[in-house]
Amino acid sequence: MKRRLISFGRQAEATAFDVLRTKVLQLTGANGWKRVAITSPLPGSGKTTTSINLAVALARQVDLRIILIDLDMRRPAVARSLGISGKTGVAPVLEGRESFGRQARRLGDNLAVAMNFAALRDPSDLFLRARTSEVLDEIEATYRPDLILFDMPPLLVNDDASAFLRNVDCALMVAEAGATTISQVDVCEKELAEQTNVLGVVLNKCRFFSDGYYRYYYAYGDD
């Protein structure tokens, strides 16, 4: 899949992520939510692209401090999408063996991104540990971000996302137009709602206009 990182520029397409940014800020602010999981029913829906573009759109607000953490550890894609290489991934941070400040990379003045550079075999075990929750609390207390975005694994592939959802305030689901089924969305919404607040659904890869550009539409739940 071609990853479209459009929020780094000011082209017209970036406006869609500005709209998403505003909606996310309104809903998270109104509810006091700071941790947002971004997931999808299945791979290929564009959740990593959405995560990065949303993080960059948020960071264009100079008074916000944003953190993006790649937790799709079996198939890490944030570093590859950004063209960044390295050795130490997120696992040692969550285990308390490496500091977030040393592992994360700064993109601009107010966006920090924690990435993975190799696959991890069984991240659900790591996500279920009490130490993981403690490390996240420490990161939030130290850096005081306005929002932390987590690029999560797809919900219907394994139990990784489900194992981690207790650590977030809300979740945003990315669905792929023409591929994700209504039943998949329903199943995933139910699973998300059992563990956290459903922030909404992003319909991705929706070719509605004749110019061929990607357009993004959003539907937000009441939870």
Side-chain angles (χ1 to χ4, degrees):
M1 180 187 68
K2 182 181 178 181
R3 289 180 168 80
R4 299 172 61 84
L5 304 183
I6 58 180
S7 285
F8 286 96
R10 294 300 302 175
Q11 58 264 48
E13 287 180 288
T15 302
F17 283 101
D18 291 343
V19 174
L20 179 58
R21 171 195 63 195
T22 299
K23 293 289 188 180
V24 168
L25 288 173
Q26 288 172 341
L27 289 169
T28 55
N31 291 281
W33 299 335
K34 289 185 176 293
R35 301 181 186 180
V36 182
I38 301 175
T39 185
S40 61
L42 294 170
S45 298
K47 64 176 182 58
T48 297
T49 305
T50 299
S51 298
I52 297 172
N53 278 305
L54 176 57
V56 173
L58 287 163
R60 285 207 302 272
Q61 297 295 114
V62 296
D63 57 338
L64 297 180
R65 285 175 289 188
I66 306 300
I67 291 175
L68 170 62
I69 300 178
D70 180 7
L71 291 185
D72 192 353
M73 292 183 169
R74 296 179 197 259
R75 298 181 63 183
V78 172
R80 184 171 68 253
S81 297
L82 293 172
I84 296 175
S85 59
K87 294 182 180 180
T88 304
V90 177
V93 176
L94 298 182
E95 292 168 342
R97 297 187 291 107
E98 178 64 278
S99 70
F100 177 83
R102 288 175 58 88
Q103 196 277 336
R105 307 289 182 91
R106 287 182 60 177
L107 299 182
D109 294 330
N110 59 337
L111 172 60
V113 183
M115 294 166 279
N116 294 293
F117 306 100
L120 187 67
R121 184 172 182 177
D122 186 16
S124 60
D125 174 68
L126 176 62
F127 294 162
L128 288 169
R129 296 178 190 173
R131 183 57 181 148
T132 292
S133 297
E134 293 169 357
V135 167
L136 293 174
D137 290 341
E138 292 167 4
I139 292 172
E140 189 170 328
T142 300
Y143 296 95
R144 299 187 179 279
D146 294 278
L147 285 176
I148 306 178
L149 307 182
F150 299 93
D151 180 27
M152 300 301 306
L155 279 166
L156 300 181
V157 173
N158 51 54
D159 66 334
D160 293 351
S162 295
F164 186 80
L165 285 173
R166 64 192 177 92
N167 294 298
V168 303
D169 300 313
C170 58
L172 183 68
M173 179 168 47
V174 180
E176 181 181 359
T180 305
T181 66
I182 296 297
S183 62
Q184 288 171 346
V185 171
D186 288 343
V187 168
C188 291
E189 279 191 320
K190 181 178 179 181
E191 182 171 348
L192 290 174
E194 289 174 350
Q195 301 187 67
T196 189
N197 298 288
V198 180
L199 183 60
V201 179
V202 175
L203 180 59
N204 192 19
K205 302 183 184 179
C206 182
R207 293 183 178 272
F208 185 83
F209 294 92
S210 60
D211 57 13
Y213 286 109
Y214 282 72
R215 303 292 179 178
Y216 299 79
Y217 298 89
Y218 322 99
Y220 291 87
D222 295 327
D223 294 340

mmCIF file with all atom_site columns, all heavy atoms in Angstrom, residues 38-63:
data_model
loop_
_atom_site.group_PDB
_atom_site.id
_atom_site.type_symbol
_atom_site.label_atom_id
_atom_site.label_alt_id
_atom_site.label_comp_id
_atom_site.label_asym_id
_atom_site.label_entity_id
_atom_site.label_seq_id
_atom_site.pdbx_PDB_ins_code
_atom_site.Cartn_x
_atom_site.Cartn_y
_atom_site.Cartn_z
_atom_site.occupancy
_atom_site.B_iso_or_equiv
_atom_site.pdbx_formal_charge
_atom_site.auth_seq_id
_atom_site.auth_comp_id
_atom_site.auth_asym_id
_atom_site.auth_atom_id
_atom_site.pdbx_PDB_model_num
ATOM 1   N N   . ILE A 1 38 ? -5.455  3.957  17.837 1.00 0.00 ? 38 ILE A N   1
ATOM 2   C CA  . ILE A 1 38 ? -5.920  3.974  16.450 1.00 0.00 ? 38 ILE A CA  1
ATOM 3   C C   . ILE A 1 38 ? -5.738  2.575  15.891 1.00 0.00 ? 38 ILE A C   1
ATOM 4   O O   . ILE A 1 38 ? -4.625  2.050  15.825 1.00 0.00 ? 38 ILE A O   1
ATOM 5   C CB  . ILE A 1 38 ? -5.159  5.006  15.615 1.00 0.00 ? 38 ILE A CB  1
ATOM 6   C CG1 . ILE A 1 38 ? -5.331  6.409  16.217 1.00 0.00 ? 38 ILE A CG1 1
ATOM 7   C CG2 . ILE A 1 38 ? -5.639  4.990  14.158 1.00 0.00 ? 38 ILE A CG2 1
ATOM 8   C CD1 . ILE A 1 38 ? -4.517  7.488  15.539 1.00 0.00 ? 38 ILE A CD1 1
ATOM 9   N N   . THR A 1 39 ? -6.850  1.954  15.501 1.00 0.00 ? 39 THR A N   1
ATOM 10  C CA  . THR A 1 39 ? -6.813  0.568  15.065 1.00 0.00 ? 39 THR A CA  1
ATOM 11  C C   . THR A 1 39 ? -7.689  0.395  13.836 1.00 0.00 ? 39 THR A C   1
ATOM 12  O O   . THR A 1 39 ? -8.228  1.370  13.287 1.00 0.00 ? 39 THR A O   1
ATOM 13  C CB  . THR A 1 39 ? -7.259  -0.371 16.203 1.00 0.00 ? 39 THR A CB  1
ATOM 14  O OG1 . THR A 1 39 ? -7.106  -1.733 15.792 1.00 0.00 ? 39 THR A OG1 1
ATOM 15  C CG2 . THR A 1 39 ? -8.699  -0.100 16.610 1.00 0.00 ? 39 THR A CG2 1
ATOM 16  N N   . SER A 1 40 ? -7.837  -0.841 13.392 1.00 0.00 ? 40 SER A N   1
ATOM 17  C CA  . SER A 1 40 ? -8.659  -1.164 12.227 1.00 0.00 ? 40 SER A CA  1
ATOM 18  C C   . SER A 1 40 ? -9.107  -2.612 12.369 1.00 0.00 ? 40 SER A C   1
ATOM 19  O O   . SER A 1 40 ? -8.534  -3.364 13.155 1.00 0.00 ? 40 SER A O   1
ATOM 20  C CB  . SER A 1 40 ? -7.862  -0.983 10.925 1.00 0.00 ? 40 SER A CB  1
ATOM 21  O OG  . SER A 1 40 ? -6.734  -1.849 10.911 1.00 0.00 ? 40 SER A OG  1
ATOM 22  N N   . PRO A 1 41 ? -10.117 -3.023 11.617 1.00 0.00 ? 41 PRO A N   1
ATOM 23  C CA  . PRO A 1 41 ? -10.506 -4.434 11.686 1.00 0.00 ? 41 PRO A CA  1
ATOM 24  C C   . PRO A 1 41 ? -9.417  -5.366 11.151 1.00 0.00 ? 41 PRO A C   1
ATOM 25  O O   . PRO A 1 41 ? -9.085  -6.370 11.785 1.00 0.00 ? 41 PRO A O   1
ATOM 26  C CB  . PRO A 1 41 ? -11.777 -4.492 10.814 1.00 0.00 ? 41 PRO A CB  1
ATOM 27  C CG  . PRO A 1 41 ? -12.329 -3.102 10.872 1.00 0.00 ? 41 PRO A CG  1
ATOM 28  C CD  . PRO A 1 41 ? -11.111 -2.219 10.878 1.00 0.00 ? 41 PRO A CD  1
ATOM 29  N N   . LEU A 1 42 ? -8.863  -5.027 9.983  1.00 0.00 ? 42 LEU A N   1
ATOM 30  C CA  . LEU A 1 42 ? -7.878  -5.878 9.322  1.00 0.00 ? 42 LEU A CA  1
ATOM 31  C C   . LEU A 1 42 ? -6.718  -5.041 8.792  1.00 0.00 ? 42 LEU A C   1
ATOM 32  O O   . LEU A 1 42 ? -6.830  -3.810 8.701  1.00 0.00 ? 42 LEU A O   1
ATOM 33  C CB  . LEU A 1 42 ? -8.542  -6.642 8.165  1.00 0.00 ? 42 LEU A CB  1
ATOM 34  C CG  . LEU A 1 42 ? -9.606  -7.673 8.552  1.00 0.00 ? 42 LEU A CG  1
ATOM 35  C CD1 . LEU A 1 42 ? -10.336 -8.163 7.306  1.00 0.00 ? 42 LEU A CD1 1
ATOM 36  C CD2 . LEU A 1 42 ? -8.995  -8.843 9.310  1.00 0.00 ? 42 LEU A CD2 1
ATOM 37  N N   . PRO A 1 43 ? -5.596  -5.668 8.426  1.00 0.00 ? 43 PRO A N   1
ATOM 38  C CA  . PRO A 1 43 ? -4.483  -4.915 7.845  1.00 0.00 ? 43 PRO A CA  1
ATOM 39  C C   . PRO A 1 43 ? -4.885  -4.271 6.519  1.00 0.00 ? 43 PRO A C   1
ATOM 40  O O   . PRO A 1 43 ? -5.815  -4.710 5.837  1.00 0.00 ? 43 PRO A O   1
ATOM 41  C CB  . PRO A 1 43 ? -3.412  -5.995 7.615  1.00 0.00 ? 43 PRO A CB  1
ATOM 42  C CG  . PRO A 1 43 ? -3.780  -7.119 8.525  1.00 0.00 ? 43 PRO A CG  1
ATOM 43  C CD  . PRO A 1 43 ? -5.277  -7.104 8.605  1.00 0.00 ? 43 PRO A CD  1
ATOM 44  N N   . GLY A 1 44 ? -4.163  -3.219 6.159  1.00 0.00 ? 44 GLY A N   1
ATOM 45  C CA  . GLY A 1 44 ? -4.364  -2.579 4.863  1.00 0.00 ? 44 GLY A CA  1
ATOM 46  C C   . GLY A 1 44 ? -5.376  -1.472 4.839  1.00 0.00 ? 44 GLY A C   1
ATOM 47  O O   . GLY A 1 44 ? -5.637  -0.896 3.785  1.00 0.00 ? 44 GLY A O   1
ATOM 48  N N   . SER A 1 45 ? -5.953  -1.150 5.986  1.00 0.00 ? 45 SER A N   1
ATOM 49  C CA  . SER A 1 45 ? -6.981  -0.109 6.022  1.00 0.00 ? 45 SER A CA  1
ATOM 50  C C   . SER A 1 45 ? -6.404  1.299  6.040  1.00 0.00 ? 45 SER A C   1
ATOM 51  O O   . SER A 1 45 ? -7.126  2.265  5.805  1.00 0.00 ? 45 SER A O   1
ATOM 52  C CB  . SER A 1 45 ? -7.887  -0.312 7.248  1.00 0.00 ? 45 SER A CB  1
ATOM 53  O OG  . SER A 1 45 ? -8.558  -1.542 7.186  1.00 0.00 ? 45 SER A OG  1
ATOM 54  N N   . GLY A 1 46 ? -5.127  1.422  6.359  1.00 0.00 ? 46 GLY A N   1
ATOM 55  C CA  . GLY A 1 46 ? -4.494  2.734  6.385  1.00 0.00 ? 46 GLY A CA  1
ATOM 56  C C   . GLY A 1 46 ? -4.394  3.343  7.764  1.00 0.00 ? 46 GLY A C   1
ATOM 57  O O   . GLY A 1 46 ? -4.260  4.556  7.896  1.00 0.00 ? 46 GLY A O   1
ATOM 58  N N   . LYS A 1 47 ? -4.408  2.520  8.809  1.00 0.00 ? 47 LYS A N   1
ATOM 59  C CA  . LYS A 1 47 ? -4.385  3.068  10.162 1.00 0.00 ? 47 LYS A CA  1
ATOM 60  C C   . LYS A 1 47 ? -3.047  3.736  10.485 1.00 0.00 ? 47 LYS A C   1
ATOM 61  O O   . LYS A 1 47 ? -3.021  4.754  11.188 1.00 0.00 ? 47 LYS A O   1
ATOM 62  C CB  . LYS A 1 47 ? -4.698  1.987  11.192 1.00 0.00 ? 47 LYS A CB  1
ATOM 63  C CG  . LYS A 1 47 ? -3.668  0.895  11.245 1.00 0.00 ? 47 LYS A CG  1
ATOM 64  C CD  . LYS A 1 47 ? -3.932  -0.114 12.331 1.00 0.00 ? 47 LYS A CD  1
ATOM 65  C CE  . LYS A 1 47 ? -2.815  -1.140 12.351 1.00 0.00 ? 47 LYS A CE  1
ATOM 66  N NZ  . LYS A 1 47 ? -1.462  -0.539 12.552 1.00 0.00 ? 47 LYS A NZ  1
ATOM 67  N N   . THR A 1 48 ? -1.937  3.177  10.001 1.00 0.00 ? 48 THR A N   1
ATOM 68  C CA  . THR A 1 48 ? -0.633  3.800  10.272 1.00 0.00 ? 48 THR A CA  1
ATOM 69  C C   . THR A 1 48 ? -0.521  5.138  9.561  1.00 0.00 ? 48 THR A C   1
ATOM 70  O O   . THR A 1 48 ? -0.058  6.130  10.138 1.00 0.00 ? 48 THR A O   1
ATOM 71  C CB  . THR A 1 48 ? 0.507   2.867  9.838  1.00 0.00 ? 48 THR A CB  1
ATOM 72  O OG1 . THR A 1 48 ? 0.466   1.674  10.618 1.00 0.00 ? 48 THR A OG1 1
ATOM 73  C CG2 . THR A 1 48 ? 1.861   3.545  10.033 1.00 0.00 ? 48 THR A CG2 1
ATOM 74  N N   . THR A 1 49 ? -0.950  5.191  8.316  1.00 0.00 ? 49 THR A N   1
ATOM 75  C CA  . THR A 1 49 ? -0.955  6.452  7.580  1.00 0.00 ? 49 THR A CA  1
ATOM 76  C C   . THR A 1 49 ? -1.836  7.477  8.283  1.00 0.00 ? 49 THR A C   1
ATOM 77  O O   . THR A 1 49 ? -1.469  8.650  8.425  1.00 0.00 ? 49 THR A O   1
ATOM 78  C CB  . THR A 1 49 ? -1.471  6.229  6.141  1.00 0.00 ? 49 THR A CB  1
ATOM 79  O OG1 . THR A 1 49 ? -0.690  5.212  5.519  1.00 0.00 ? 49 THR A OG1 1
ATOM 80  C CG2 . THR A 1 49 ? -1.370  7.509  5.328  1.00 0.00 ? 49 THR A CG2 1
ATOM 81  N N   . THR A 1 50 ? -2.992  7.030  8.743  1.00 0.00 ? 50 THR A N   1
ATOM 82  C CA  . THR A 1 50 ? -3.889  7.920  9.477  1.00 0.00 ? 50 THR A CA  1
ATOM 83  C C   . THR A 1 50 ? -3.243  8.389  10.774 1.00 0.00 ? 50 THR A C   1
ATOM 84  O O   . THR A 1 50 ? -3.325  9.573  11.127 1.00 0.00 ? 50 THR A O   1
ATOM 85  C CB  . THR A 1 50 ? -5.220  7.214  9.775  1.00 0.00 ? 50 THR A CB  1
ATOM 86  O OG1 . THR A 1 50 ? -5.853  6.849  8.536  1.00 0.00 ? 50 THR A OG1 1
ATOM 87  C CG2 . THR A 1 50 ? -6.157  8.097  10.570 1.00 0.00 ? 50 THR A CG2 1
ATOM 88  N N   . SER A 1 51 ? -2.591  7.478  11.482 1.00 0.00 ? 51 SER A N   1
ATOM 89  C CA  . SER A 1 51 ? -1.944  7.833  12.749 1.00 0.00 ? 51 SER A CA  1
ATOM 90  C C   . SER A 1 51 ? -0.886  8.907  12.558 1.00 0.00 ? 51 SER A C   1
ATOM 91  O O   . SER A 1 51 ? -0.838  9.900  13.308 1.00 0.00 ? 51 SER A O   1
ATOM 92  C CB  . SER A 1 51 ? -1.303  6.587  13.374 1.00 0.00 ? 51 SER A CB  1
ATOM 93  O OG  . SER A 1 51 ? -2.259  5.600  13.675 1.00 0.00 ? 51 SER A OG  1
ATOM 94  N N   . ILE A 1 52 ? -0.040  8.728  11.558 1.00 0.00 ? 52 ILE A N   1
ATOM 95  C CA  . ILE A 1 52 ? 1.046   9.686  11.332 1.00 0.00 ? 52 ILE A CA  1
ATOM 96  C C   . ILE A 1 52 ? 0.493   11.029 10.878 1.00 0.00 ? 52 ILE A C   1
ATOM 97  O O   . ILE A 1 52 ? 0.885   12.094 11.395 1.00 0.00 ? 52 ILE A O   1
ATOM 98  C CB  . ILE A 1 52 ? 2.049   9.136  10.295 1.00 0.00 ? 52 ILE A CB  1
ATOM 99  C CG1 . ILE A 1 52 ? 2.710   7.864  10.816 1.00 0.00 ? 52 ILE A CG1 1
ATOM 100 C CG2 . ILE A 1 52 ? 3.109   10.190 9.967  1.00 0.00 ? 52 ILE A CG2 1
ATOM 101 C CD1 . ILE A 1 52 ? 3.560   7.153  9.781  1.00 0.00 ? 52 ILE A CD1 1
ATOM 102 N N   . ASN A 1 53 ? -0.417  11.002 9.918  1.00 0.00 ? 53 ASN A N   1
ATOM 103 C CA  . ASN A 1 53 ? -0.977  12.262 9.417  1.00 0.00 ? 53 ASN A CA  1
ATOM 104 C C   . ASN A 1 53 ? -1.736  13.016 10.501 1.00 0.00 ? 53 ASN A C   1
ATOM 105 O O   . ASN A 1 53 ? -1.665  14.248 10.580 1.00 0.00 ? 53 ASN A O   1
ATOM 106 C CB  . ASN A 1 53 ? -1.893  11.984 8.224  1.00 0.00 ? 53 ASN A CB  1
ATOM 107 C CG  . ASN A 1 53 ? -1.130  11.828 6.931  1.00 0.00 ? 53 ASN A CG  1
ATOM 108 O OD1 . ASN A 1 53 ? -0.363  12.701 6.538  1.00 0.00 ? 53 ASN A OD1 1
ATOM 109 N ND2 . ASN A 1 53 ? -1.327  10.717 6.256  1.00 0.00 ? 53 ASN A ND2 1
ATOM 110 N N   . LEU A 1 54 ? -2.461  12.286 11.345 1.00 0.00 ? 54 LEU A N   1
ATOM 111 C CA  . LEU A 1 54 ? -3.181  12.940 12.432 1.00 0.00 ? 54 LEU A CA  1
ATOM 112 C C   . LEU A 1 54 ? -2.198  13.529 13.436 1.00 0.00 ? 54 LEU A C   1
ATOM 113 O O   . LEU A 1 54 ? -2.397  14.658 13.913 1.00 0.00 ? 54 LEU A O   1
ATOM 114 C CB  . LEU A 1 54 ? -4.111  11.945 13.122 1.00 0.00 ? 54 LEU A CB  1
ATOM 115 C CG  . LEU A 1 54 ? -4.870  12.473 14.350 1.00 0.00 ? 54 LEU A CG  1
ATOM 116 C CD1 . LEU A 1 54 ? -5.705  13.702 13.998 1.00 0.00 ? 54 LEU A CD1 1
ATOM 117 C CD2 . LEU A 1 54 ? -5.746  11.370 14.942 1.00 0.00 ? 54 LEU A CD2 1
ATOM 118 N N   . ALA A 1 55 ? -1.145  12.800 13.768 1.00 0.00 ? 55 ALA A N   1
ATOM 119 C CA  . ALA A 1 55 ? -0.148  13.304 14.711 1.00 0.00 ? 55 ALA A CA  1
ATOM 120 C C   . ALA A 1 55 ? 0.495   14.589 14.198 1.00 0.00 ? 55 ALA A C   1
ATOM 121 O O   . ALA A 1 55 ? 0.678   15.558 14.947 1.00 0.00 ? 55 ALA A O   1
ATOM 122 C CB  . ALA A 1 55 ? 0.923   12.240 14.965 1.00 0.00 ? 55 ALA A CB  1
ATOM 123 N N   . VAL A 1 56 ? 0.836   14.608 12.922 1.00 0.00 ? 56 VAL A N   1
ATOM 124 C CA  . VAL A 1 56 ? 1.464   15.797 12.336 1.00 0.00 ? 56 VAL A CA  1
ATOM 125 C C   . VAL A 1 56 ? 0.476   16.954 12.289 1.00 0.00 ? 56 VAL A C   1
ATOM 126 O O   . VAL A 1 56 ? 0.831   18.107 12.576 1.00 0.00 ? 56 VAL A O   1
ATOM 127 C CB  . VAL A 1 56 ? 2.009   15.480 10.930 1.00 0.00 ? 56 VAL A CB  1
ATOM 128 C CG1 . VAL A 1 56 ? 2.516   16.742 10.234 1.00 0.00 ? 56 VAL A CG1 1
ATOM 129 C CG2 . VAL A 1 56 ? 3.137   14.454 11.026 1.00 0.00 ? 56 VAL A CG2 1
ATOM 130 N N   . ALA A 1 57 ? -0.774  16.675 11.931 1.00 0.00 ? 57 ALA A N   1
ATOM 131 C CA  . ALA A 1 57 ? -1.796  17.727 11.906 1.00 0.00 ? 57 ALA A CA  1
ATOM 132 C C   . ALA A 1 57 ? -1.987  18.324 13.298 1.00 0.00 ? 57 ALA A C   1
ATOM 133 O O   . ALA A 1 57 ? -2.119  19.545 13.453 1.00 0.00 ? 57 ALA A O   1
ATOM 134 C CB  . ALA A 1 57 ? -3.117  17.168 11.371 1.00 0.00 ? 57 ALA A CB  1
ATOM 135 N N   . LEU A 1 58 ? -1.995  17.473 14.312 1.00 0.00 ? 58 LEU A N   1
ATOM 136 C CA  . LEU A 1 58 ? -2.112  17.966 15.689 1.00 0.00 ? 58 LEU A CA  1
ATOM 137 C C   . LEU A 1 58 ? -0.906  18.808 16.067 1.00 0.00 ? 58 LEU A C   1
ATOM 138 O O   . LEU A 1 58 ? -1.034  19.850 16.717 1.00 0.00 ? 58 LEU A O   1
ATOM 139 C CB  . LEU A 1 58 ? -2.259  16.785 16.652 1.00 0.00 ? 58 LEU A CB  1
ATOM 140 C CG  . LEU A 1 58 ? -3.598  16.051 16.643 1.00 0.00 ? 58 LEU A CG  1
ATOM 141 C CD1 . LEU A 1 58 ? -3.466  14.685 17.308 1.00 0.00 ? 58 LEU A CD1 1
ATOM 142 C CD2 . LEU A 1 58 ? -4.671  16.878 17.353 1.00 0.00 ? 58 LEU A CD2 1
ATOM 143 N N   . ALA A 1 59 ? 0.275   18.369 15.665 1.00 0.00 ? 59 ALA A N   1
ATOM 144 C CA  . ALA A 1 59 ? 1.503   19.063 16.034 1.00 0.00 ? 59 ALA A CA  1
ATOM 145 C C   . ALA A 1 59 ? 1.649   20.412 15.335 1.00 0.00 ? 59 ALA A C   1
ATOM 146 O O   . ALA A 1 59 ? 2.463   21.239 15.765 1.00 0.00 ? 59 ALA A O   1
ATOM 147 C CB  . ALA A 1 59 ? 2.712   18.184 15.736 1.00 0.00 ? 59 ALA A CB  1
ATOM 148 N N   . ARG A 1 60 ? 0.884   20.638 14.276 1.00 0.00 ? 60 ARG A N   1
ATOM 149 C CA  . ARG A 1 60 ? 0.922   21.964 13.656 1.00 0.00 ? 60 ARG A CA  1
ATOM 150 C C   . ARG A 1 60 ? 0.291   23.018 14.563 1.00 0.00 ? 60 ARG A C   1
ATOM 151 O O   . ARG A 1 60 ? 0.473   24.219 14.330 1.00 0.00 ? 60 ARG A O   1
ATOM 152 C CB  . ARG A 1 60 ? 0.219   21.934 12.291 1.00 0.00 ? 60 ARG A CB  1
ATOM 153 C CG  . ARG A 1 60 ? 1.044   21.249 11.211 1.00 0.00 ? 60 ARG A CG  1
ATOM 154 C CD  . ARG A 1 60 ? 0.674   21.787 9.830  1.00 0.00 ? 60 ARG A CD  1
ATOM 155 N NE  . ARG A 1 60 ? -0.738  21.602 9.552  1.00 0.00 ? 60 ARG A NE  1
ATOM 156 C CZ  . ARG A 1 60 ? -1.264  20.506 9.011  1.00 0.00 ? 60 ARG A CZ  1
ATOM 157 N NH1 . ARG A 1 60 ? -0.485  19.500 8.682  1.00 0.00 ? 60 ARG A NH1 1
ATOM 158 N NH2 . ARG A 1 60 ? -2.563  20.421 8.782  1.00 0.00 ? 60 ARG A NH2 1
ATOM 159 N N   . GLN A 1 61 ? -0.457  22.578 15.561 1.00 0.00 ? 61 GLN A N   1
ATOM 160 C CA  . GLN A 1 61 ? -0.931  23.491 16.593 1.00 0.00 ? 61 GLN A CA  1
ATOM 161 C C   . GLN A 1 61 ? 0.216   23.674 17.585 1.00 0.00 ? 61 GLN A C   1
ATOM 162 O O   . GLN A 1 61 ? 0.517   22.786 18.374 1.00 0.00 ? 61 GLN A O   1
ATOM 163 C CB  . GLN A 1 61 ? -2.158  22.915 17.307 1.00 0.00 ? 61 GLN A CB  1
ATOM 164 C CG  . GLN A 1 61 ? -3.356  22.720 16.404 1.00 0.00 ? 61 GLN A CG  1
ATOM 165 C CD  . GLN A 1 61 ? -3.888  24.048 15.894 1.00 0.00 ? 61 GLN A CD  1
ATOM 166 O OE1 . GLN A 1 61 ? -3.837  24.327 14.705 1.00 0.00 ? 61 GLN A OE1 1
ATOM 167 N NE2 . GLN A 1 61 ? -4.391  24.881 16.797 1.00 0.00 ? 61 GLN A NE2 1
ATOM 168 N N   . VAL A 1 62 ? 0.870   24.824 17.540 1.00 0.00 ? 62 VAL A N   1
ATOM 169 C CA  . VAL A 1 62 ? 2.130   25.008 18.253 1.00 0.00 ? 62 VAL A CA  1
ATOM 170 C C   . VAL A 1 62 ? 1.984   24.935 19.768 1.00 0.00 ? 62 VAL A C   1
ATOM 171 O O   . VAL A 1 62 ? 2.980   24.735 20.476 1.00 0.00 ? 62 VAL A O   1
ATOM 172 C CB  . VAL A 1 62 ? 2.789   26.349 17.853 1.00 0.00 ? 62 VAL A CB  1
ATOM 173 C CG1 . VAL A 1 62 ? 3.151   26.333 16.374 1.00 0.00 ? 62 VAL A CG1 1
ATOM 174 C CG2 . VAL A 1 62 ? 1.858   27.528 18.171 1.00 0.00 ? 62 VAL A CG2 1
ATOM 175 N N   . ASP A 1 63 ? 0.777   25.096 20.274 1.00 0.00 ? 63 ASP A N   1
ATOM 176 C CA  . ASP A 1 63 ? 0.584   25.051 21.722 1.00 0.00 ? 63 ASP A CA  1
ATOM 177 C C   . ASP A 1 63 ? 0.268   23.643 22.225 1.00 0.00 ? 63 ASP A C   1
ATOM 178 O O   . ASP A 1 63 ? 0.024   23.456 23.418 1.00 0.00 ? 63 ASP A O   1
ATOM 179 C CB  . ASP A 1 63 ? -0.526  26.013 22.147 1.00 0.00 ? 63 ASP A CB  1
ATOM 180 C CG  . ASP A 1 63 ? -1.846  25.735 21.450 1.00 0.00 ? 63 ASP A CG  1
ATOM 181 O OD1 . ASP A 1 63 ? -1.820  25.103 20.371 1.00 0.00 ? 63 ASP A OD1 1
ATOM 182 O OD2 . ASP A 1 63 ? -2.892  26.155 21.969 1.00 0.00 ? 63 ASP A OD2 1
#
